[in-house]
Amino acid sequence: MANQMREAAIVGIHEYPLRVAPGRSAMQIKVESIKAALDDAGLKWSDIDAVYDTNDGEGGGGLGMAPYLGLKPTVIDTTQVGGSSYEFQTAHALRDIAAGKANVAVLTYGSTAASSRRAIGTGGATGQGLPNWQGNMEDPYGMITVGNYALVAHRHMHEYGTTTEDLAEISVATRLHATRNPEAVKAMTDLQFMGTGEITIQDVLESRMISDPLHLLECCMQSDGGGAVIIASRDVARGTKKKPAWIIGTGEAIKYRENGGDITTSAAAQGGPIAFAEAQVTPAEIDIAMIYDSFTITVATILEDLGFCKKGEYRDLAKGGRFRFDTALKPTLNTDGGGLSSNHPGMRGIFLLFESVRQLRGESTSQVAGAKLAIAHGNGGALGGTHAGGSVILAAD
Amino acid sequence: MPDRPQPRFPEPNTQKYWEAVKEGRLTYQQCADCNTVVFTPRILCTGCGSSNLAWKDSSGEGKVYTYTVVRQNRNPSFAPLGAYVLAWIDLDEGFRMLSNVVGVNDPTTDVKCDMRVKVEFEKQDSGEYPIPVFRPV
């Protein structure tokens, strides 16, 4: 541990509280969130010297955000790798700060996916835009987002004997955590979930099949939302309002379909070990696993790839309610209620950072006593095809 | 007859593939320098970076690597298919392609991973390009 990195930390967070926000634009959600995150950190507007934004529409990107904010930052980063953009951007902010290029970085996200009814799950957008090599080979076959992940799930079941009951453990634990988070309960209410209470494995099995073998209660919601993260240098972090969450390891990787490739292994298998090596910790030491739960299979696959168990052994890891916040077993999973039951406006990666920080500060609604280490792993793109995986390992002060 | 989305042109990577489909041939590329099988069509070898790629005809036979049954697609082109089987097919020549498995009684029970399949070229209602799909053998 002697050489464990303490170059930069997350010092301010804000999760936009609403999941249905009619009348608000994505840019307004971002800006309100930046103000609140600065307040959380005890920093000023003029302290920001680095802006990271995904350019997810509505005038964003580094080139769009900085003028709206009235800032002239020394670092601009418009990394866009889908839902894992925020883990990639955290890695970049750490590097930029460690290199002395910036002191206070802001990462921001805003989306009105629910209010504008943008298709996230079952929309199969085809025949639009310019002709391209990928569209010409895939559009005739009716790929949809859920279907892409379902392809991973069937092969995982075929090779390792994983069952829907095993995958449902994720839905059940996540929903338990959501019932304890008032913002998640309001989200499920506002988005007209059939029920907002705890669910059982049987409930998951009996929910509507969307794309075999994935059921409705294995799929994330489609919400509005957003937020902001403030990352600061060691010197700045020592003077902020709350305890810093130190960024001690990061890993970035992508994966895509290859002839003869293994669809059950994600980009996390490449980037995860890099993050753990840099952090000088092992998966067994991690208290909190914030894993991108677009669908249950996403989490199962990534837990294996990060080394919480061997490939194909998720089914054993899942036993015994391990993922619940109130058991002694590690890791505890998605304590905010996840994309399944709290917040999924299209790119969930930033929320993984928020809840990791809350746990390390002792502020979660499903707090794990004495949580010291958390991993946020974002997955962007589509798990069964081209996707990006970004890992960020955080340590309590 | 089905009326799926058609490939669109100009698109220089995939034009030759689709012209072959019109003639009832399923084609792939192979690197003349290192023998790597390349799919989907492009202008460099993913094994060595060479531009020396040869087009080959596939037997059209292979197996289902993995599949799903899509119950709902908001794109109206797929409504006539009902619940349909979306699958990655591993062709015997060593390339993997996205397609559909057709010709089963019940798509929710009659398709399995590793099941043997063979290509057929499905005529479309209005589009000029037939679509390569797979049927169990």
Side-chain angles (χ1 to χ4, degrees), chain A residues 281-364:
Chain A
V281 297
T282 64
E285 295 174 80
I286 297 287
D287 301 296
I288 308 297
M290 290 300 302
I291 310 294
Y292 199 123
D293 57 336
S294 42
F295 303 95
T296 50
I297 185 64
T298 323
V299 179
T301 302
I302 291 171
L303 285 170
E304 291 176 343
D305 294 338
L306 289 176
F308 287 99
C309 61
K310 289 191 183 127
K311 178 51 63 185
E313 294 183 358
Y314 160 79
R315 55 187 299 197
D316 299 320
L317 182 76
K319 285 186 172 54
R322 168 189 297 268
F323 302 136
R324 297 166 56 106
F325 81 108
D326 55 359
T327 63
L329 294 171
K330 295 180 184 182
T332 300
L333 181 75
N334 295 351
T335 46
D336 61 341
L340 296 177
S341 294
S342 176
N343 209 347
H344 193 284
M347 297 195 292
R348 183 173 162 72
I350 200 164
F351 306 116
L352 308 173
L353 298 169
F354 299 151
E355 181 65 9
S356 296
V357 171
R358 287 191 205 107
Q359 282 285 352
L360 299 179
R361 288 175 174 177
E363 294 178 350
S364 172

